[in-house]
Amino acid sequence: MFHQALTLEYEGRFADALELFERCLDDPTFDEGDLHFHCAWCLENEKRMREALLRYARAADLTRIPSCKINSFFRSGWILMHEKDTVQAAEMFRNAVDYGELVGLKNETYRQGLYWYAVCLEAQGRCLEALTWYRLAQASSPQLDPESRRRQLACLVHVGLYDEALDVCRTFDAPCPEEFDAERYAALQAEVENERAILEACLTSSHTQHSIMAYASR
């Protein structure tokens, strides 16, 4: 039944898969938390987000599988972030990161947790804290490096560290990293080039202070 449920889940037949995963909960040979995680994933894909959050919480509490626990924290954060609850989302992403550190599971979910935790901090206006976490995300993965640098630029501008922001702009003169999407990198370069032009104009203007204040208040 479990393998049938996995097949249905893979095929995108989430309502049918959910029913079978629920039935598997009566079988003590399975990891109960893992089953709750699969139920939560089906509920999330059925857009039943409140129910999914409750199941992810149970999965995190009950599972004996480290990857299931970290994934449960991350998916909870993802739902909460998209519901604009950045405080609770940050807590869940931080749980994923802290648990990954605790058990030495620095996988893709852990690395994504670093980045999205920083995003939630930035959304709360905690830009200096966000900078620290964006830098950790940048160092953790070539795939997160350009996106993390772009967000660092925004944070530096927000807190008025314009010289440092300009230094970040210059890092985008480098070619696209091998493991990063070239089209996305070109889009980031275009965004950064626009910011760079404004920063350079402000920092060299005879009315520098006025120009910078106008730029920061955009």
Side-chain angles (χ1 to χ4, degrees):
M1 190 185 304
F2 178 73
H3 293 293
Q4 185 182 354
L6 287 176
T7 298
L8 291 169
E9 181 185 61
Y10 178 78
E11 293 174 349
R13 296 168 60 186
F14 297 108
D16 295 332
L18 175 61
E19 182 181 345
L20 293 186
F21 284 128
E22 293 274 17
R23 289 164 62 185
C24 290
L25 285 167
D26 295 328
D27 188 337
T29 63
F30 293 110
D31 181 275
E32 186 177 356
D34 187 51
L35 289 172
H36 280 295
F37 178 85
H38 284 287
C39 290
W41 177 245
C42 292
L43 288 164
E44 183 180 347
N45 280 279
E46 288 286 299
K47 310 303 180 187
R48 295 161 63 179
M49 299 305 187
R50 290 290 103 188
E51 294 171 82
L53 281 171
L54 291 173
R55 289 302 188 96
Y56 282 132
R58 285 185 62 76
D61 285 342
L62 296 172
T63 187
R64 301 182 301 274
I65 304 170
S67 59
C68 179
K69 194 176 189 77
I70 196 172
N71 284 338
S72 298
F73 287 138
F74 184 88
R75 294 311 310 168
S76 295
W78 190 258
I79 291 173
L80 289 162
M81 182 178 66
H82 283 83
E83 291 185 346
K84 311 300 183 185
D85 188 348
T86 57
V87 174
Q88 291 298 314
E91 181 180 340
M92 291 297 105
F93 289 131
R94 183 61 187 266
N95 285 345
V97 169
D98 287 347
Y99 181 72
E101 292 278 357
L102 178 67
V103 300
L105 184 61
K106 296 186 178 181
N107 59 5
E108 182 60 25
T109 304
Y110 165 85
R111 292 188 287 271
Q112 290 288 331
L114 291 171
Y115 178 81
W116 292 106
Y117 178 57
V119 169
C120 289
L121 293 176
E122 183 186 353
Q124 295 171 48
R126 297 162 62 182
C127 291
L128 288 174
E129 293 173 79
L131 272 170
T132 297
W133 291 93
Y134 281 131
R135 286 165 178 157
L136 289 170
Q138 176 189 350
S140 76
S141 167
Q143 293 181 333
L144 290 171
D145 179 341
E147 299 286 359
S148 298
R149 282 185 282 133
R150 176 66 184 93
R151 296 315 316 157
Q152 287 173 49
L153 172 57
C155 289
L156 289 165
V157 168
H158 185 82
V159 298
L161 296 173
Y162 303 113
D163 288 316
E164 288 186 43
L166 193 54
D167 287 340
V168 172
C169 289
R170 294 183 181 117
T171 68
F172 281 88
D173 293 341
C176 178
E178 265 186 42
E179 299 181 44
F180 196 77
D181 180 77
E183 186 174 342
R184 174 58 183 161
Y185 192 71
L188 289 173
Q189 284 180 309
E191 291 177 17
V192 168
E193 189 58 32
N194 182 57
E195 296 291 323
R196 179 175 178 169
I198 297 170
L199 279 166
E200 288 177 339
C202 289
L203 290 170
T204 58
S205 170
S206 58
H207 303 289
T208 299
Q209 191 62 39
H210 175 76
S211 301
I212 288 176
M213 289 177 64
Y215 172 55
S217 65
R218 291 182 309 157

